Amino acid sequence: MSGRMPWPDYFMKIAHLVAQRSTCTRRAVGAIAVMEKRVVATGYNGVPSDVAHCEEVGCIRETMKVPSGQRHELCRGLHAEQNVIIQAATHGLCLRGCDIYCTTQPCLICTKMLINCGVRNIYYAEHYPDELAESMLAEANVHHELLSGKYL
């Protein structure tokens, strides 16, 4: 028997490593896109390039006491999954058929974007309850799965 780490664990550990670049003061999230066992794009949650980080100017959501999962438009940052999509597009890479590994289950907005990108599977290490997102993934035939394990 091989002592090698299984592919899903390998990719989820990379997603957690990517999350360490996050500049969000509330939750660090990382995501990667994988095609044929190769990482093609990475993303973490944080503000757009050339914009002051929340660590420097404060968190609007914290100041306004916005609960997690609500009023996503009241945030200076992009989600990790959005940054994966942007990084792929910036470099002319198609995400159709990719697997996405996220430290946290994508929100509804990111779920809709990933469905439209044509991703094949979404794996996440932490559940983020959103019935509409889950039903849309099922309707679009996008496999999504909580992976249990220690990834840090």
Side-chain angles (χ1 to χ4, degrees), residues 43-54:
Y44 52 87
N45 56 330
V47 298
S49 299
D50 302 322
V51 174
H53 296 290
C54 298

Side-chain angles (χ1 to χ4, degrees), residues 41-48 78-88:
T42 67
Y44 52 87
N45 56 330
V47 298
L78 294 156
H79 288 188
E81 302 88 346
Q82 293 168 337
N83 274 325
V84 164
I85 294 166
I86 291 166
Q87 186 182 87

